[in-house]
Amino acid sequence: MSVPDRAQWARGTRTVHHPDAEVPSRPVATPLYQSSTFQAQRAATVAQYAEQIQPQAFYTRWGNPTVEVWEKVMADLEGGQRCLAFASGMAAVSTTLLGLLERGDHVVAGSSLYTATTRVLAEDLPQLGIQTDFVDPADPGSFERAARPATRMFYVESPTNPTLGLGDLAALGDVARRRGITMVVDNTFATPINQRPLALGAHVVIHSATKYLSGHSDVVAGCVVTDTATAERLWHKRTLLGTSLDPFAAWLLLRGMKTLAVRVSRQNENALAVARALERHPAVRRVIYPGLRSHPQHALACRQMDGFGGMVAFEVRGGRQAGTRLVESTRLALLAVSLGGVETLIEHPASMSHAMLDDDQLQRAGIPPGLIRLSVGIEDPDDLIADLRCALDQLS
């Protein structure tokens, strides 16, 4: 019986066993190549050096051996041909938009997106002659109805931030394929453990690696996974803009990735337990979690996701005042923005992560004043539920 090759291993195995770095020995941990530049082989002429240089062994803004290993891990997990690492999630987003769009192009995007992404699409790209229409991300037909001859990109998050709505990625992928439109999916909330958009019809997958991929709240990074030709275009843009990831951040990401599958599995379980407990509390108006039967897209979540994620949104009775009071009252759930770490974080989107939006914009984004976003960690679920229940009891 032959030993199965890497492509046949389960994702949990592939997060632990990374590709070998290009070094003479075989270290268990990927080495940190904390170097900005790489010298030519001895006795090489300038002409020979110019002919032999490779991005990962020339200059770290072009590429770096440590960064390259992490890129290979991510391309493998998402099922893409190539991954590019970036200095932040927004560096990945902005470089993708600037690298794949040009003056006169049109984008159709989901109306519920990370606020910085929305601002780039709505405020910055129009200055370059690129227009965006925002539509209901839950309705694939809305993307097709908004498409024009100049439409070059569909852009969607699934699940969305912070309202946890889902895009029907397979249906949207069919529309994009028929019309020759590039479909970009931000897969940050789901991770490649729970969802793989490329297999559902996406052309480009984006992650804020700051979140679940790192998992320890100590890295700011991003990545894009796509086909070889698209990656080459984005590599040139990344090199020009200087949005490359530094090697120490990549080394920390490689450490975090080894536990990605077990962390996400625990967060899936904890989030479902917390969501069910929240549904039973009288101070909670509604709970939004794809794993609950009450979620309007629960059937879709079961079709396109292997797990429902660690993010829970819920609306408390009493509006903004009750929402801010709640997040200030928890002890175990830490009051902080960001998400995806081993610790549970709680925030009030209307006054924190989405505070830059006015009331009309919040309403269009589906963010009521009493909405709470909870990033569930790996703590004991009974402790998390007790902490939230105590804070909610104070509202009652």
Side-chain angles (χ1 to χ4, degrees):
M1 181 176 178
S2 60
V3 177
D5 60 24
R6 182 180 182 82
Q8 296 174 294
W9 295 348
R11 277 178 174 77
T13 303
R14 281 142 56 192
T15 61
V16 175
H17 295 276
H18 299 161
D20 293 330
E22 297 298 327
V23 293
S25 59
R26 293 173 58 85
V28 172
T30 301
L32 169 58
Y33 288 86
Q34 190 66 42
S35 180
S36 62
T37 191
F38 301 87
Q39 65 179 320
Q41 296 293 326
R42 294 191 181 279
T45 64
V46 171
Q48 289 171 333
Y49 181 55
E51 291 175 357
Q52 295 172 2
I53 57 173
Q54 299 295 323
Q56 70 276 12
F58 174 63
Y59 186 59
T60 285
R61 179 163 56 85
W62 289 32
N64 176 280
T66 307
V67 175
E68 185 188 20
V69 173
W70 184 65
E71 290 175 334
K72 288 179 177 179
V73 171
M74 282 306 302
D76 174 54
L77 291 178
E78 282 287 6
Q81 294 176 348
R82 188 175 170 190
C83 171
L84 294 177
F86 291 87
S88 69
M90 280 311 301
V93 170
S94 57
T95 304
T96 298
L97 296 174
L98 294 173
L100 300 183
L101 298 170
E102 58 187 41
R103 180 173 294 275
D105 286 349
H106 175 249
V107 180
V108 182
S111 57
S112 182
L113 297 171
Y114 179 54
T115 49
T117 303
T118 298
R119 293 187 68 175
V120 171
L121 290 166
E123 300 174 16
D124 295 319
L125 291 189
Q127 299 178 40
L128 304 176
I130 302 166
Q131 302 300 318
T132 300
D133 282 328
F134 294 93
V135 301
D136 181 1
D139 178 12
S142 67
F143 284 79
E144 186 159 26
R145 289 189 296 273
R148 314 171 186 170
T151 302
R152 298 291 177 267
M153 181 182 292
F154 288 164
Y155 191 103
V156 65
E157 292 177 5
S158 187
T160 58
N161 180 13
T163 54
L164 300 180
L166 306 180
D168 188 332
L169 300 184
L172 188 56
D174 288 340
V175 175
R177 185 166 48 253
R178 278 193 286 105
R179 301 194 62 137
I181 295 171
T182 298
M183 176 176 160
V184 179
V185 177
D186 187 324
N187 199 35
T188 298
F189 273 28
T191 80
I193 303 301
N194 287 333
Q195 178 176 267
R196 288 162 297 283
L198 294 177
L200 296 169
H203 303 95
V204 178
V205 172
I206 293 177
H207 284 274
S208 172
T210 309
K211 314 304 194 296
Y212 287 99
L213 301 182
S214 162
H216 293 80
S217 303
D218 55 7
V219 172
V220 175
C223 71
V224 172
V225 183
T226 185
D227 60 87
T228 302
T230 303
E232 189 67 15
R233 289 179 63 184
L234 294 178
W235 178 82
H236 284 284
K237 185 63 70 174
R238 183 187 72 173
T239 302
L240 179 66
L241 297 177
T243 54
S244 308
L245 183 66
D246 78 271
F248 183 63
W251 184 77
L252 287 173
L253 281 165
L254 285 166
R255 290 188 71 187
M257 292 293 290
K258 287 181 181 289
T259 59
L260 176 64
V262 292
R263 284 189 285 106
V264 170
S265 177
R266 176 61 179 256
Q267 286 163 314
N268 289 343
E269 295 171 1
N270 280 2
L272 181 58
V274 166
R276 286 172 171 166
L278 288 170
E279 277 197 313
R280 297 191 292 268
H281 199 285
V284 176
R285 185 185 302 277
R286 62 176 177 139
V287 180
I288 311 169
Y289 183 66
L292 294 176
R293 294 184 182 276
S294 58
H295 192 288
Q297 297 171 292
H298 177 67
L300 173 62
C302 292
R303 289 201 307 272
Q304 72 182 22
M305 302 181 75
D306 294 332
F308 303 117
M311 301 301 299
V312 177
F314 62 99
E315 184 182 0
V316 294
R317 303 182 191 278
R320 181 184 289 262
Q321 184 177 3
T324 56
R325 184 181 172 193
L326 173 71
V327 300
E328 292 167 356
S329 301
T330 57
R331 296 182 61 190
L332 189 57
L334 306 177
L335 180 58
V337 295
S338 198
L339 56 103
V342 293
E343 60 283 305
T344 295
L345 302 180
I346 192 169
E347 69 129 346
H348 180 243
S351 57
M352 294 175 66
S353 61
H354 292 67
M356 64 186 70
L357 302 182
D358 59 32
D359 289 343
D360 289 340
Q361 290 172 321
L362 286 170
Q363 185 175 5
R364 286 197 297 271
I367 303 173
L371 188 74
I372 306 299
R373 192 188 74 178
L374 190 68
S375 172
V376 180
I378 64 170
E379 302 95 338
D380 188 288
D382 291 338
D383 292 333
L384 291 174
I385 292 168
D387 182 43
L388 290 166
R389 184 179 292 125
C390 181
L392 287 165
D393 286 346
Q394 296 181 43
L395 300 184
S396 302

